[in-house]
Amino acid sequence: MAPLIALIVVTGSARLAGWLGVAWLDSWPHAARIGLAVMFALTASAHFLNPKREQLIRMVPPSFPNAAAMVTLTGVLEIAGAIGLLIPPVAPVAAICLAVLLLVMFPANIRAARAGGGIKTMPLPARTVVQAVFLGACVLAAF
């Protein structure tokens, strides 16, 4: 739930700054880039800090080799994407890449919701709605 709250609060705050005169933030796509950057920085931290890291490792489907390396890789990709969102010329590509990453990682969330392993997640229908919000924010940020 913290990533969703971070996305909403930071995007809303950035958009408010745009209304108050910060020219670059005077659009929803730019505000969404800031919100997503903070959200992905927050989620990436879990990939490197215990106890969340160990919980994420347990969420990786067993069909994937080296779960720890997968968690590290996805954390690095989230950080790279968050940084990319803050660089205007590459921000649209970063947003699209992050959307793809969300889609690729969603099976781990499904597995965790069904099996109860790893990080405690919200029920699958609610998690699916939250995932759709994250994807929608990525699509918005791509413009």
Side-chain angles (χ1 to χ4, degrees), residues 24-122:
W24 189 77
L25 295 174
D26 199 19
S27 76
W28 280 107
H30 291 164
R33 290 174 187 173
I34 303 296
L36 282 167
V38 170
M39 183 201 84
F40 277 106
L42 173 68
T43 61
S45 69
H47 293 245
F48 302 101
L49 303 172
N50 281 320
K52 296 285 188 189
R53 177 176 169 76
E54 292 301 321
Q55 295 168 347
L56 285 171
I57 290 169
R58 286 195 299 275
M59 285 177 63
V60 176
S63 58
F64 287 95
N66 198 342
M70 296 296 284
V71 168
T72 299
L73 174 64
T74 55
V76 168
L77 292 173
E78 288 181 4
I79 291 169
I83 292 168
L85 287 168
L86 301 175
I87 303 170
V90 299
V93 173
I96 291 166
C97 289
L98 287 167
V100 170
L101 183 64
L102 286 169
L103 291 171
V104 169
M105 292 190 313
F106 194 60
N109 289 299
I110 293 171
R111 181 175 180 273
R114 288 186 176 157
I119 290 178
K120 301 293 183 217
T121 64
M122 59 186 75

